Amino acid sequence: MAVRNVLEERQFDELLRNGFPARLHIRAEIWTVGRYFDDVRGRAEWDVIVQYNVVEKSYEVARVVGDRVMSLGSYLRFADARAASELAYLPALPTPKRGQKGYVLVQAELQTLEVTDLDEVERWLRGEARPAVKGKRSPASALTRGVRTLASRILGGEVRQLEARSPTMKF
């Protein structure tokens, strides 16, 4: 699966060069068609992060799946970094029973982040926010992270949500 043309606009290059890394969160789901209701059979989620390294004057691209970070390369041109962010990724999704009708639903959320928020996102991706949610850590730290994310949006960060669905097919 690949999400294409999301970082196509010139504004994203400008945001990256001004210290706003971009995070593309992708969720793919396999659905089966039911008589009255459709049913989700499997789900996979991953992130693609693009950031500009001011010192090296290059764009760094990485894919994050669970707690694993895979570098997709370092690029001098924004167009090359964008192409790397669009590389296909095949997540492990269960296949519905043979002959069953279904479809694939892909949702993507693009966020531009403040540089300091990138560390927060990486910690969150590693699961460090979970203890606060479960009551094992101070809720104030989770609240602080939320306030920082809100400040990022006010200062120029953006959230864009996209969705695409495949045609219904027979498995």
Side-chain angles (χ1 to χ4, degrees):
M1 291 178 206
V3 177
R4 306 237 189 260
N5 303 322
V6 176
L7 291 173
E8 196 167 79
E9 298 170 18
R10 183 181 174 99
Q11 75 177 26
F12 289 109
D13 184 21
E14 291 173 15
L15 284 169
L16 288 166
R17 286 180 177 269
N18 287 307
F20 289 89
R23 173 182 165 260
L24 182 62
H25 180 77
I26 303 149
R27 181 174 60 209
E29 299 174 331
I30 294 277
W31 286 78
T32 54
V33 177
R35 186 172 193 161
Y36 299 108
F37 299 102
D38 293 352
D39 189 27
V40 66
R41 294 293 179 181
R43 174 180 295 137
E45 296 186 47
W46 66 97
D47 295 290
V48 175
I49 297 176
V50 181
Q51 62 182 345
Y52 185 71
N53 184 329
V54 178
V55 175
E56 296 180 17
K57 296 185 180 180
S58 64
Y59 298 89
E60 308 292 330
V61 183
R63 179 180 299 124
V64 181
V65 181
D67 60 353
R68 292 184 6 189
V69 178
M70 174 200 257
S71 174
L72 299 178
S74 179
Y75 305 91
L76 296 176
R77 295 178 340 131
F78 177 64
D80 297 333
R82 188 180 68 232
S85 74
E86 296 176 354
L87 289 172
Y89 172 68
L90 185 59
L93 289 170
T95 307
K97 294 178 185 174
R98 190 174 185 89
Q100 198 167 21
K101 289 183 179 181
Y103 55 92
V104 178
L105 179 68
V106 178
Q107 297 171 326
E109 181 178 278
L110 175 65
Q111 296 181 14
T112 51
L113 307 169
E114 197 174 309
V115 174
T116 56
D117 285 343
L118 188 58
D119 290 332
E120 296 296 326
V121 169
E122 288 172 356
R123 282 191 212 117
W124 178 78
L125 290 171
R126 284 185 255 134
E128 291 182 21
R130 288 187 200 137
V133 174
K134 293 180 181 177
K136 295 180 183 175
R137 232 167 89 184
S138 168
S141 62
L143 180 61
T144 301
R145 289 183 183 125
V147 169
R148 285 184 183 168
T149 301
L150 178 60
S152 171
R153 302 297 163 262
I154 292 169
L155 292 172
E158 177 182 329
V159 176
R160 181 181 295 179
Q161 296 182 347
L162 310 159
E163 184 174 293
R165 178 187 158 177
S166 73
T168 300
M169 60 188 119
K170 206 173 217 183
F171 289 94

